[in-house]
Amino acid sequence: MNKEVRFTRNVYVILIAILVLAGIIQIARSEYVLKFKQNSDLLEQRDILLTAAKKEDKSFITGAPYCILYSSGYEYSRLMKNNAQKMLQYMQKPVHEVDINNEAFDPKGCQTVVIALETLPDSLDVDSLVDYVHNGGYVFVMSALEANHQYQLLYRKLGVTSFGDPFLTTGIKLTSNVLIGESNLVMKDDFIANSSNAVELDSSAQLLAETNEGTPLLWKHEYGQGAFMMFNGTMLTEKINRGIIAGAISLLEPDFIYPVFNSKLFYIDDFPSPIKKGIEPAIYEAYQRDIPTFFKDIWWPDMLKAAKNYGVKYTTGLIQTYHDEVEPPFQYPIDEDRYGLITFGREVIKSGGEIGLHGYNHQSLQTSKKIADYYGYNPWGDRTNMERSIKEVIDFTSRSFPSYKLMSYIPPSNVLGPEGRQALKAAWPDLTVISSLYNEDTEGRAYVQEFEIADDGVLEMPRVTSGYFERAYDRWAEANTVTSHGFFSHFFHPDDVLDKERSNFLTWKELYEQYTQNLNRLQRTYPWLRAVTSTDGALDMGRTLISSVNWKKDKNSIAGEIHNFQGHDLYYILRTDRKITKQVNCTVKKIDTHTFLVTAHQSKFAIGLGG
């Protein structure tokens, strides 16, 4: 055959192959392929979970109760009691409340005694409490105590050698890993404030935390065969500090184990959404791009790179329009950006993330004019219009992703009224999880959540921290929530970059550097946390919540039998100073000093202990 002809044919073959490959790549990137991206299996998992939730039976949890002493006549005592009770419920421990005003208390039969009082009343038999600890019991005192005659009988057993008047203390330094992974953490900010007693400790007391000025704040003192844990402050009424409660109890008792969610979540609110047109001078000077091109060419590639480098999956909250209409018609607003939804949404999914819903627009689903005025929003007139807007944004999404199910909702400005909550459920059958805020809102505007399965079947899974850069309050909230729940949940907005105050007057380069530094610290401190999306994390949370474990301990092992086990791994934190000798139907991984993550693979599992 002529060499020239053979060469020409080979060239054509190569060109055809290149064209075919280019066509395949183009098809793979086209809207057509989006039709084949499905996540309906998550809806099936949700329905299985909700069916199993009806079989939840906490009576399966056996063992002696955790007895909480409190005084119903004092709000401070009630708040402490409520906080301890909620934490113990999450830890799946049986709880028995004792109102010291109305009933006598005998510590016999209690696994641990939690004292949610600031004054030990005359009715409390201190001698019986001392005998209880001496014979192997455990007592956690949640508050600095008034130095009355009852305290005079007890203080030496608490590990105190001398004491003085109470005074205001600020900040905290952890001299232990009472918060997992955070030994030596120092918080100097004034949001940590206590009324503490001036005390000196016995050399046998184990100091776990102190104030910035060096006043002992948390310590453990062994007495006889048992031990006291003492918190010398007044901040354990607050939800943000539940990690201290969990850490203190888990370090008080030997070989303590409790369930956690083991999840790490990142939310991007207002994304995908219509992007503001025009030029931001600082951005144009740095990148020679207008605002939409900056987000497409710089911000989003940076965010994807950070996710890949540090093990992050994004859950985004899309918005169809920024118009503020709360009256129909809602269809086809002039600023909707279907191309942006397809372009960014495809990459969210491709990176392992999830597209969730923030709203048709950014008007929070609530009817209070007072709350709307605070945010500069319009209040909705009725539930019907809310439902219409929700259906429209779901239709808008389905036109671009026909087989993709929206399942996660993020309330705009973390505000959601009861009518809005009802509208979501009525208009959106696939709604699976709502993620708003965990920490208290003293103004009463935010939709504040606990981790729970609501009566209507929606999974309530709050978020904890926010922003591209670290704030002291967020760092403290993070450390407490990881210790109490094995849970990290963080959110931010693309346009934080454009707001001088929300960006802390930093450039995107500086913000991104701080963001990646925080991701690096998070990965170093909690490498065991699993990166998950909102719906996946909520389903795992639900499986943990509906389960319960019957624990059996002997001198060489801990055995667990899980009720309502759904065939998915469940996770537990084990605090022990003993060696792990065997792992039966579970995996045990050291995550900190004397702290382990236990992954149960079957309903019955066991951990061997030695040394």
Side-chain angles (χ1 to χ4, degrees), residues 147-164:
N148 62 6
H149 69 280
Q150 292 282 71
Y151 180 73
Q152 296 269 3
L153 297 174
L154 186 62
Y155 78 94
R156 295 300 296 263
K157 281 62 170 194
L158 295 174
V160 177
T161 57
S162 64
F163 60 88

Side-chain angles (χ1 to χ4, degrees), residues 567-609:
H568 294 258
D569 287 350
L570 292 178
Y571 303 91
Y572 304 86
I573 294 294
L574 170 63
R575 299 273 210 162
T576 181
D577 57 4
R578 302 173 67 185
K579 294 180 180 179
I580 305 301
T581 60
K582 66 176 180 179
Q583 303 167 40
V584 180
N585 297 330
C586 66
T587 304
V588 182
K589 179 181 180 181
K590 185 176 181 180
I591 59 174
D592 198 3
T593 304
H594 303 313
T595 306
F596 301 85
L597 177 70
V598 179
T599 305
H601 306 302
Q602 297 185 28
S603 62
K604 293 183 179 181
F605 63 102
I607 306 159
L609 301 175

